[in-house]
Amino acid sequence: MYKKIMVRAIIISGVVVSQVVLFWGLDILAKKTLLPNIAFEQPYRLHGESGDVQGAYALSKNSSYLAWINGGVLYVEDLVARRCCYRGEQKTDSFVWLPDRSRLVFVSENQLYSLDLEGEVRLNRETEAQLPEGYTYTQIAVSTYSNLIYLMGAGPEGRQDILIIDLTKKLRYVDNQDDLSFSRLAVVNKTGSLVIQAETRDGPRLLHWAENTLTLISDDGGIGDAILLGTNDRGFYGGRIDREADCFRTVYYYVNEAAGVLEEPVAIWQGELPMSAEFLPFATGAGLLVSPEENGESEAYVIKMVWGANHEMGLPRIHVLGLPLFREAGAPRPVCRVFAANGLTYLEISGDQYCWRLLP
């Protein structure tokens, strides 16, 4: 009897200790990945207007700031001070956070601006040149290593063009002789190479622009119907779609450490996810969210990057994680999930409420 009591006491003690260790570990993780006054699973309120969000929310590199466009107005929320620290005064087309600091670049009234949030908030005109009239600029990509800024815009006749601004602040275009329809772009930061998703009659394809040359890097003999999933400092991710089976099958990684040189793509994940899905660009550590809905029931998945101790060596491993779309019965459906660059946490937003969550 005494032995049974002792065994039960040891088991209970073990459970308690494991729970303490778990919460202690989460607290340590929160302090490492975010800031001490930000708690997981606790609701907070956005102070900027969020009733008519265009595009997507986006977190700064250090997860301290959240930016979005609502009704043509750019808002930036300071998630540490819990206040709206910037509200634009003119209509904003699009924006992007720089990959290595708390600074964003945005297009407003056909001018290019940067907003620096490190220290005192500073708004700067990026170039004295006037951007072409009649364009709506839908996406921006920036290479801080090569000081290149790319703007994707739709012209008056619907034609998609990509504008390049270099260190001299001169304007030029990616040569689009085939009149392709561009839908997504991202930049490999260290090389300044641009990766573009184009829509063709045969399905989506990936293009690579470097050293003033635009090259097709995917076709039916390669990875087939391809979508751009994102980039990091040394390469980029492509995904393969199987249209016949109506599913998403593969994640490829391309090493691109020299501007004009692409190594053969390596399949770093293979599986099958339904195509009734929303694909979000990869952040540094995570970023493919698939949210199919059938008969009113939903699932969500995230493909998470898992790097070794030396991030610059070797390829990442891939984990496919299931996420609950609803926290509990009757809870409001999240408008979106925004992944932090650390690959460990994400922001779940519903209306003007948000909370931090930890990836499994």
Side-chain angles (χ1 to χ4, degrees):
M1 185 67 176
Y2 176 76
K3 288 183 178 179
K4 288 183 179 179
I5 293 173
M6 288 298 295
V7 169
R8 184 175 299 175
I10 291 171
I11 291 172
I12 293 172
S13 300
V15 171
V16 172
V17 169
S18 65
Q19 288 179 338
V20 170
V21 169
L22 173 62
F23 287 111
W24 175 78
L26 286 176
D27 183 61
I28 294 295
L29 180 61
K31 291 177 180 177
K32 283 185 177 181
T33 59
L34 299 169
L35 292 169
N37 64 338
I38 295 178
F40 287 105
E41 306 296 332
Q42 178 176 323
Y44 297 105
R45 185 174 69 87
L46 290 175
H47 296 84
E49 295 180 21
S50 57
D52 182 26
V53 175
Q54 301 159 245
Y57 294 88
L59 281 165
S60 62
K61 173 70 174 179
N62 64 1
S63 299
S64 294
Y65 300 94
L66 179 71
W68 70 94
I69 296 172
N70 178 80
V73 177
L74 175 65
Y75 291 90
V76 181
E77 183 91 358
D78 185 330
L79 299 174
V80 179
R82 301 193 191 109
R83 64 184 180 88
C84 180
C85 62
Y86 181 79
R87 182 190 188 279
E89 296 181 354
Q90 297 176 317
K91 181 180 181 296
T92 299
D93 284 354
S94 58
F95 71 91
V96 68
W97 286 105
L98 296 193
D100 55 3
R101 63 180 83 96
S102 295
R103 183 182 177 194
L104 55 78
V105 174
F106 65 94
V107 178
S108 183
E109 298 294 335
N110 270 56
Q111 296 291 337
L112 189 65
Y113 296 94
S114 64
L115 183 68
D116 196 342
L117 296 160
E118 293 179 344
E120 184 182 353
V121 176
R122 297 189 305 277
L123 181 66
N124 301 307
R125 178 95 167 264
E126 268 306 295
T127 176
E128 292 301 316
Q130 181 80 21
L131 298 181
E133 295 287 345
Y135 277 78
T136 299
Y137 293 95
T138 55
Q139 289 185 50
I140 308 173
V142 179
S143 166
T144 54
Y145 281 84
S146 57
N147 289 304
L148 289 171
I149 300 174
Y150 299 96
L151 301 168
M152 187 171 78
E157 298 178 0
R159 174 189 167 97
Q160 293 282 351
D161 282 309
I162 297 176
L163 182 66
I164 310 162
I165 302 174
D166 59 21
L167 190 61
T168 66
K169 306 299 184 183
K170 291 181 180 179
L171 311 181
R172 55 196 173 103
Y173 290 85
V174 169
D175 188 10
N176 185 12
Q177 293 182 352
D178 295 327
D179 198 22
L180 295 167
S181 175
F182 301 140
S183 60
R184 179 175 287 177
L185 78 165
V187 66
V188 179
N189 194 25
K190 284 189 176 179
T191 63
S193 300
L194 188 67
V195 189
I196 306 164
Q197 180 178 321
E199 307 304 319
T200 72
R201 289 177 299 177
D202 299 322
R205 295 290 185 266
L206 293 183
L207 305 165
H208 183 249
W209 186 90
E211 299 177 339
N212 297 316
T213 301
L214 187 63
T215 306
L216 177 71
I217 56 175
S218 68
D219 53 34
D220 289 332
I223 69 172
D225 288 345
I227 59 174
L228 173 60
L229 298 176
T231 61
N232 58 21
D233 278 353
R234 59 188 292 264
F236 60 93
Y237 304 95
R240 181 173 181 269
I241 296 171
D242 186 336
R243 280 189 292 171
E244 291 185 2
D246 195 31
C247 68
F248 175 78
R249 290 200 180 279
T250 315
V251 176
Y252 288 88
Y253 185 68
Y254 291 77
V255 176
N256 184 203
E257 295 187 296
V261 180
L262 279 181
E263 297 183 16
E264 286 295 315
V266 177
I268 56 176
W269 176 84
Q270 290 180 307
E272 186 173 308
L273 292 173
M275 271 298 297
S276 53
E278 176 188 5
F279 296 95
L280 298 181
F282 276 31
T284 301
L288 175 59
L289 177 68
V290 182
S291 302
E293 254 191 76
E294 293 183 7
N295 302 320
E297 295 188 5
S298 304
E299 283 185 289
Y301 304 91
V302 62
I303 291 184
K304 178 182 176 182
M305 301 297 164
V306 182
W307 292 88
N310 188 343
H311 187 105
E312 296 299 321
M313 299 296 291
L315 295 170
R317 292 178 292 112
I318 289 287
H319 286 178
V320 178
L321 309 168
L323 297 176
L325 191 60
F326 298 96
R327 294 193 292 277
E328 57 188 20
R333 174 177 175 171
V335 172
C336 67
R337 291 183 174 92
V338 188
F339 296 105
N342 57 46
L344 300 172
T345 57
Y346 65 96
L347 210 60
E348 189 175 273
I349 303 172
S350 179
D352 66 350
Q353 301 289 315
Y354 71 92
C355 70
W356 285 102
R357 299 195 181 281
L358 188 66
L359 282 172

